[in-house]
Every structure is written in structure tokens, then in C-alpha cells.
Amino acid sequence: MKTSTIAHLKNDKIQNDFLPLQGTEYVEFYVGNAKQAAHYYKTAFGFQSLAYAGPETGLKDKASYVLRQNKLTFVLTTPLQKGNEIADHINKHGDGVKILALKVDDAKNAWKETTKRGGRSYMEPLTLKDEFGEVVMSGIHTYGETVHLFIERKNYRGAFMPGYRKWESAYNPPETGLLYVDHCVGNVGWNQMNKWVKFYEEVMGFRNILSFDDKDISTEYSALMSKVMSNGNGYVKFPINEPAEGKKKSQVEEYLDFYNGEGCQHIAIATNNIINTVTQLKDRGIEFLKIPASYYADVLDRVGHIDEDLKPLSELGILIDRDNEGYLLQIFSKPVEDRPTLFFEIIQRKGAQSFGKGNFKALFEAIEWEQAERGNL
Ligand code: FE2
């Protein structure tokens, strides 16, 4: 899509936006052991301690650790008892993303406008207050058991939100240059992609800005289809993947089998120095997909001049792609739990607003190699 077309869509959209979003507020994960997960995200990814809620703050059934790095906020929540919604979620899905929370100016209106358009309510508008002010939140269901919360915090000055206390820790590993959520990808079931495209269009006022079919995204063995949904100002982008028929099992199908349903496949995090960021992440034990050396033999013929030296990119396994607005650098972690479900992408955009279509083949071959190792191809 040409820049002028995107600009036109943005202008058109901003004027009619019934759900103005200011970006991703936080991502909440339901995990089996939030204390240990918090240590992992601090140690390996360089997140900083921000806030905590649990028995010490009056909660009986769960504990949550809030971590932050620049504009990126993760909440790690674990159940303290069996038989609650969080425990059931983990029992079914393993560790995974429960909430993609979006920052709004008016959470009551966000709920009203989305539920009026067919969104299924998860939480009616709720006002939480403490001595630092108030937060208004509401929410709707999206694919699988995933939820979008709308968070309005313009009248709040505390660390995170009412119910949480500031978490000060003596253990503060340095940051790794992670900045904000670039996009979050959902994996949905067979023939479900267009249903969820329609949901984001009709219920949330998003637009389909890019589409990839199984001819774009197929290797010798497996295939998938993808449509990228974006809100009006482009701050929030949700690509939706669906498996497609191939000779062998699609990576999306493997995810659906192990997650026991639809859910968030990956979160792409922006950096403005991918070589530094990935070097640090690797040093701290994060594992990335291996890209064959042959990828780098002709990559510059495909993408043209880039500012970076190719050597560190090839040593780290960072992929490069170009569209008509510029280029991007990206890399994909291995799944961050034992189930082959959630993983992270690290992305540096240098003009390009696309998603690395030119890398799909190399990327998916790397994923399939891992899938075969697990006996799931
Ligand atoms: Fe991505």
C-alpha cells in the first residue's frame, strides 16, 4: 500500500473514529508462577519492577507483578487457589496472554460503542479509586479466551492502578532497549480469520491494511493466511493468522493444538537499536530462531542499501525486509514456554510500515525445523 493511501485512510479514520486508542496500555499474562516469571522478564528482557498486588495488598485468590520498560508494561498474574478463572485458564492453555489492554480517553464510551456494535462484554465500566486518583476500566472479549480491556487513567498519578502497591526491588538488571508494543498477532481456527477481521472492523472500527494468502506464506510443507488489522491512528495493529492446507501441519495448527484454542501467538516489541538489543537478549539467555547463512548471501540484492553492517545482523540472525516506505529489521524468539505457543518478535522500523513479507519463507522454514524437532510437523 502506498504511503499516500495509508495517510488518506488515517485522516479519514481519525475523523470518524468511534474508538480512539492511544496505544497499548499493557499486556497481562496468566502464568503458573508469577514470581518466577517476573524474575525471567527482569533478568532476560531487562524489565523493571513497577507494582505488585497479592495477599499483602488484600487479594485472596491471585498475585500480580507489574513490570515496565519504556512504554512497554507487562502484568504477570498467577492464581493462589484452584478452581478460579485464572487457574482454569492456565490448566487449559498453559502460560499465555489473557489481556491486551488498550489506552483510551473514555473507558465508559469505549465499552458503550463496542458493545453496541456487537462486542461481547467482559467487564462493564468499573471505577477504581485510591489516594492517587481513579482509573476507569471496561472490556470486551476477542478471539479465544483473550480479552481487550479499555483503560482510562488520565486522572491517576499512582504507580500502576488502585489495588496495586509500588514495587521497589533491590534487583534491577539493566534495560535492553525495548520500547513499546509494535503489534500483537492472534492465531485463530480454520475458516475463522474473516470472522475476526469483521469483528475488528465492525466492533472496534479497525481496517484491514494488509493481507497475505497461502501463496505468500507457504513453504514446501505448511501454510497460513494472515490479515493485518489497524486502528485509525495506526498505534494498535493486530494481525490475524489462520492455518492453511499444506503437505504437513501448519505452525498455526500446532499452536492451536497446544494452546487448546485461539490465542495470542506473538508480541512484536520495538527497539531503535536491534543489534544492541538482540546482543543483550542473547547474552541473557533468550533463544532466537536460527536463520541459515544462505539467507545473507543475497539479502542485500533484495533489500538494497541498509545503514547497518551485514556482519552483526547475520551473526545474530536478524532478518531484513524493505517496502516502498523504507526497511525493517526483525528477529523472532523461540517459544518462551514449553508449549510451542507464545513467542516474541523484536523489530526495528526504518521507515517500513509492513511486516516482513520478504522474510516469510526463511522464517517459516526456521519455524518448521523447530516443529519437526518437536515431532509436530
Ligand atoms: Fe510480527
Side-chain angles (χ1 to χ4, degrees):
M1 189 180 282
K2 287 201 177 79
T3 316
S4 57
T5 322
I6 288 177
H8 170 75
L9 284 178
K10 278 182 187 169
N11 290 339
D12 179 43
K13 194 67 197 58
I14 285 164
Q15 281 163 21
N16 305 305
D17 203 345
F18 62 83
L19 182 63
L21 300 175
Q22 297 160 357
T24 303
E25 172 70 35
Y26 63 85
V27 180
E28 182 163 353
F29 305 76
Y30 282 178
V31 299
N33 186 334
K35 179 176 279 203
Q36 289 190 7
H39 192 287
Y40 171 77
Y41 282 101
K42 287 173 70 171
T43 302
F45 285 91
F47 281 82
Q48 307 299 309
S49 306
L50 181 71
Y52 168 82
E56 300 85 346
T57 65
L59 294 181
K60 295 279 177 265
D61 59 346
K62 66 172 184 175
S64 294
Y65 294 77
V66 187
L67 305 171
R68 183 165 288 166
Q69 183 166 184
N70 295 301
K71 288 185 179 167
L72 192 59
T73 306
F74 282 2
V75 180
L76 303 159
T77 294
T78 199
L80 300 176
Q81 303 289 341
K82 66 176 181 177
N84 66 28
E85 176 245 342
I86 305 163
D88 293 347
H89 195 277
I90 295 166
N91 188 34
K92 183 172 177 188
H93 304 295
D95 287 5
V97 171
K98 175 64 181 180
I99 294 169
L100 296 167
L102 305 167
K103 189 172 186 175
V104 297
D105 193 51
D106 186 339
K108 285 189 185 120
N109 199 51
W111 186 85
K112 197 181 100 204
E113 294 292 336
T114 51
T115 55
K116 188 172 85 185
R117 288 171 169 81
R120 191 159 61 88
S121 176
Y122 173 76
M123 180 193 285
E124 291 191 18
L126 176 70
T127 303
L128 303 169
K129 291 183 183 176
D130 66 11
E131 71 263 42
F132 301 107
E134 65 173 43
V135 169
V136 188
M137 59 201 295
S138 63
I140 58 171
H141 293 269
T142 177
Y143 49 77
E145 292 195 85
T146 317
V147 163
H148 290 312
L149 287 188
F150 304 117
I151 309 289
E152 172 191 334
R153 53 185 315 121
K154 60 180 184 283
N155 298 316
Y156 194 68
R157 303 172 316 282
F160 183 56
M161 57 171 72
Y164 287 80
R165 73 180 188 196
K166 196 170 184 335
W167 172 24
E168 296 199 63
S169 171
Y171 178 62
N172 306 299
E175 298 192 346
T176 59
L178 302 177
L179 298 175
Y180 55 84
V181 173
D182 184 274
H183 60 274
C184 296
V185 178
N187 277 345
V188 300
W190 292 95
N191 305 312
Q192 297 298 303
M193 180 175 66
N194 287 330
K195 171 186 151 184
W196 290 106
V197 165
K198 205 164 157 250
F199 165 86
Y200 281 106
E201 282 173 347
E202 291 180 0
V203 174
M204 295 184 66
F206 282 40
R207 296 212 182 186
N208 176 209
I209 57 165
L210 284 171
S211 298
F212 308 103
D213 63 20
D214 48 346
K215 281 158 211 72
D216 295 319
I217 317 183
S218 71
T219 63
E220 189 188 348
Y221 293 129
S222 70
L224 65 85
M225 297 186 285
S226 189
K227 288 190 176 177
V228 181
M229 306 306 295
S230 172
N231 82 316
N233 59 20
Y235 291 175
V236 179
K237 293 190 270 311
F238 293 142
I240 307 288
N241 292 337
E242 168 184 321
E245 291 289 353
K247 271 194 214 164
K248 296 200 176 177
K249 184 187 273 190
S250 167
Q251 51 167 296
V252 178
E253 210 181 343
E254 187 197 33
Y255 175 101
L256 296 169
D257 286 350
F258 281 86
Y259 199 69
N260 282 309
E262 301 177 339
C264 178
Q265 178 211 38
H266 76 266
I267 296 170
I269 304 173
T271 170
N272 56 24
N273 190 334
I274 197 167
I275 293 174
N276 271 354
T277 295
V278 173
T279 300
Q280 291 183 54
L281 293 174
K282 280 198 159 177
D283 286 350
R284 297 175 189 207
I286 298 298
E287 295 181 312
F288 293 94
L289 292 176
K290 286 195 182 62
I291 301 302
S294 58
Y295 172 90
Y296 296 93
D298 58 357
V299 68
L300 293 181
D301 298 339
R302 177 166 64 80
V303 302
H305 172 78
I306 56 169
D307 302 334
E308 294 74 13
D309 288 334
L310 195 59
K311 192 162 178 280
L313 298 177
S314 66
E315 284 168 358
L316 294 165
I318 293 166
L319 302 167
I320 314 152
D321 197 26
R322 184 179 287 278
D323 62 23
N324 53 20
E325 295 176 81
Y327 70 96
L328 62 81
L329 304 160
Q330 62 185 170
I331 191 169
F332 297 84
S333 80
K334 293 185 182 180
V336 289
E337 58 282 291
D338 294 293
R339 298 189 196 203
T341 53
L342 178 73
F343 59 88
F344 291 98
E345 171 182 352
I346 310 298
I347 183 165
Q348 181 177 7
R349 294 187 181 277
K350 301 193 91 168
Q353 294 304 313
S354 52
F355 294 83
K357 180 177 166 181
N359 292 324
F360 286 168
K361 192 167 187 297
L363 172 64
F364 296 139
E365 283 172 355
I367 291 175
E368 278 166 18
W369 190 86
E370 301 272 334
Q371 234 179 305
E373 282 275 294
R374 293 189 283 263
N376 296 331
L377 186 61

